[in-house]
Amino acid sequence: MSQSHHQYFAHGRAFAIGIALNLAFVGVEVFYGLIANSSALLADAGHNASDVLGLFFAWGAFRLANMTPRGKYTYGWQRSTILSSILNAVLLFIAVFFIAKDAIMKLQEPQPVAGTSVMIVAGIGVVINTITALLFMKDQKHDLNIKGAFLHMAADAGVSLGVVVAGLLINITGHQWIDPAVSFVIIAVVLWGTWGLFVDSVNLALDAVPKNINIEEVRDALNNYPGVQDAHDLHVWALSTNRTAISVHLVVPGGGGDRFLADVQKMLKDEFNISHATVQIEKEKNNQIECNHR
């Protein structure tokens, strides 16, 4: 089995395990949140529920991105990972609205909260979310879709830890306002992470240069490449959350053959992790003589 196929099945297994664990935990949180009358616990359940949907979307997008291009989808379905990231962000914004609404009601009319139950259930959440985050830790540096899943689960582990602290403080002080107050801390954490994911995803959808690539460094590398007199009409954009494309015109007075194009493509891959290059060679600027697609 090739490395790519191995990663495909490993990611699929990680998504399946993560979804199963978190779906079960959401049910537990809702049940005990209602019994304990805890808005913090219900808030965490709402956040985790949106993350379960997020994992579903990320898994589906991951599978679509690996489908063979056909018909009018000449690039395949790779951009589904970008759309999935945007949808995940929107779902989290909706979850934040309902979390805030419930917390405000509890602040206006404080109600008794079973602190011990909150601590126990949220403690289970710390373990489950940590395990799920670890499933995606290895590959999150190379794929925004995977990174989104990793960051959500890591943040959830921290949020659940905050709920444990809330239960402990309620038991110690007896102050019921601590529970909705922690809900607002959860909201701040979710908004902070979600806004970054939303902005990055929208930028990719609008064909902005991916944030991990410095367009001026790419331009300089091409302009300084042996045999290249000038690089112009340079465009860099994302095919998916882990694949980047480039198109550029290179003025090469001596011309450039297959070997030259292969070397340029290798340089772009090695130095900038740009995997799909379309390069047009010109002997003189605005005097096109050869067009090669790679």
Side-chain angles (χ1 to χ4, degrees), residues 198-260:
F198 180 72
V199 170
D200 289 344
S201 301
V202 169
N203 282 336
L204 292 185
L206 294 175
D207 287 337
V209 177
K211 63 184 299 184
N212 63 313
I213 292 179
N214 186 316
I215 188 67
E216 293 307 320
E217 290 182 359
V218 175
R219 192 187 309 277
D220 289 343
L222 291 169
N223 276 317
N224 295 322
Y225 197 82
V228 175
Q229 186 181 77
D230 179 64
H232 61 99
D233 290 328
L234 172 63
H235 304 280
V236 178
W237 70 98
L239 290 176
S240 69
T241 52
N242 67 347
R243 289 197 68 198
T244 304
I246 183 174
S247 68
V248 63
H249 291 206
L250 299 180
V251 178
V252 185
D258 288 343
R259 179 66 182 179
F260 176 84

Side-chain angles (χ1 to χ4, degrees), residues 46-208:
H47 182 203
N48 280 311
S50 67
D51 280 345
V52 170
L53 284 177
L55 286 175
F56 266 117
F57 290 132
W59 189 13
F62 172 75
R63 292 178 65 87
L64 287 173
N66 284 275
M67 291 177 62
T68 303
R70 63 177 182 270
K72 63 182 180 180
Y73 298 101
T74 56
Y75 274 129
W77 293 70
Q78 296 182 65
R79 285 212 160 193
S80 59
T81 56
I82 299 174
L83 297 178
S84 171
S85 297
I86 295 175
L87 184 56
N88 278 334
V90 171
L91 285 174
L92 285 168
F93 285 137
I94 294 173
V96 162
F97 170 78
F98 287 104
I99 292 171
K101 182 179 179 181
D102 182 71
I104 290 172
M105 291 176 61
K106 291 292 176 64
L107 274 177
Q108 293 174 339
E109 299 180 12
Q111 299 178 21
V113 176
T116 302
S117 297
V118 170
M119 290 172 59
I120 293 174
V121 177
I124 296 172
V126 173
V127 175
I128 289 178
N129 289 320
T130 300
I131 291 173
T132 307
L134 291 175
L135 293 173
F136 300 104
M137 186 171 70
K138 181 179 178 181
D139 297 307
Q140 54 93 17
K141 294 181 180 179
H142 311 293
D143 188 333
L144 183 62
N145 196 37
I146 301 297
K147 184 177 182 178
F150 169 77
L151 291 178
H152 276 214
M153 294 300 104
D156 282 352
V159 169
S160 294
L161 182 60
V163 176
V164 172
V165 173
L168 177 62
L169 292 176
I170 289 172
N171 278 350
I172 294 174
T173 67
H175 296 313
Q176 304 301 321
W177 60 263
I178 292 175
D179 180 70
V182 169
S183 295
F184 287 111
V185 175
I186 293 174
I187 289 171
V189 172
V190 175
L191 284 178
W192 180 79
T194 302
W195 182 251
L197 177 65
F198 180 72
V199 170
D200 289 344
S201 301
V202 169
N203 282 336
L204 292 185
L206 294 175
D207 287 337

